[in-house]
Amino acid sequence: MAGSRCSLGRGAGMGSGAVWLAAAGEGGLETTAGAYPFLAYGTDWLAFAHLVIAAAFIGPLIDPVRNKWVFQFGLIGCAGVVPLALIAGAARGIPVYWRMIDCSFGVFGCIPLLLCLRYVDRLEARAMRVAL
C-alpha cells in the first residue's frame, strides 16, 4: 500500500488503515460505481437480506419457546463470521486489525443470543412444571 500513498495524494502522516480506507473510497467505490453501476445492485440485495434476517427474529418475540431455533440459527451465523472474515479478508487484502474487528461481530453477537437461549430454557422449564 506504500505506492497508494503517493497515488492518493494525501499520504503525509496517514497510517495504513487510513490509506486503505482512502484507496477503497476513491479507487474502489467511486471508480467501480462509475464504470459498473450494476454492482451497487448487490448492496441493495445485501440490505434486503439483513431485513429478512431481522424479520426472522419477530417469531421469538411472539413465541420464544417454539422459535428457539432462531437463536440457534443466529449462533451458527455468528460462528460463521470468524472463518469468513479471516479467510476472505486475507484473500481480499483487508488489514489484520480490520479482520479482527469483523470477527468481533461474530464473537460479541453470540452474547445476546446465548442470553436469549438461557431465558428460553427457563421458560421451557417453567412450562413443563406448569404442565405437570
Side-chain angles (χ1 to χ4, degrees):
M1 298 276 335
S4 63
R5 285 181 183 230
C6 295
S7 65
L8 293 174
R10 3 174 149 153
M14 290 178 68
S16 63
V19 172
W20 187 87
L21 280 174
E26 289 179 8
L29 298 175
E30 292 173 12
T31 304
T32 303
Y36 309 101
F38 57 86
L39 288 179
Y41 187 57
T43 59
D44 298 338
W45 281 107
L46 179 64
F48 176 73
H50 281 84
L51 293 173
V52 169
I53 292 168
F57 282 85
I58 294 172
L61 286 173
I62 298 167
D63 188 351
V65 174
R66 220 172 76 196
N67 292 292
K68 180 180 181 178
W69 68 272
V70 175
F71 300 122
Q72 295 164 336
F73 176 77
L75 284 170
I76 292 168
C78 285
V81 167
V82 175
L84 179 68
L86 294 175
I87 295 167
R92 305 242 184 257
I94 307 297
V96 174
Y97 70 89
W98 194 298
R99 284 184 262 157
M100 294 301 110
I101 292 170
D102 290 343
C103 288
S104 74
F105 284 97
V107 173
F108 292 121
C110 289
I111 295 170
L113 293 169
L114 289 169
L115 288 172
C116 289
L117 277 175
R118 188 168 71 181
Y119 297 142
V120 169
D121 288 342
R122 289 180 187 170
L123 286 172
E124 247 176 341
R126 187 179 303 153
M128 295 290 257
R129 284 194 305 268
V130 171
L132 296 175

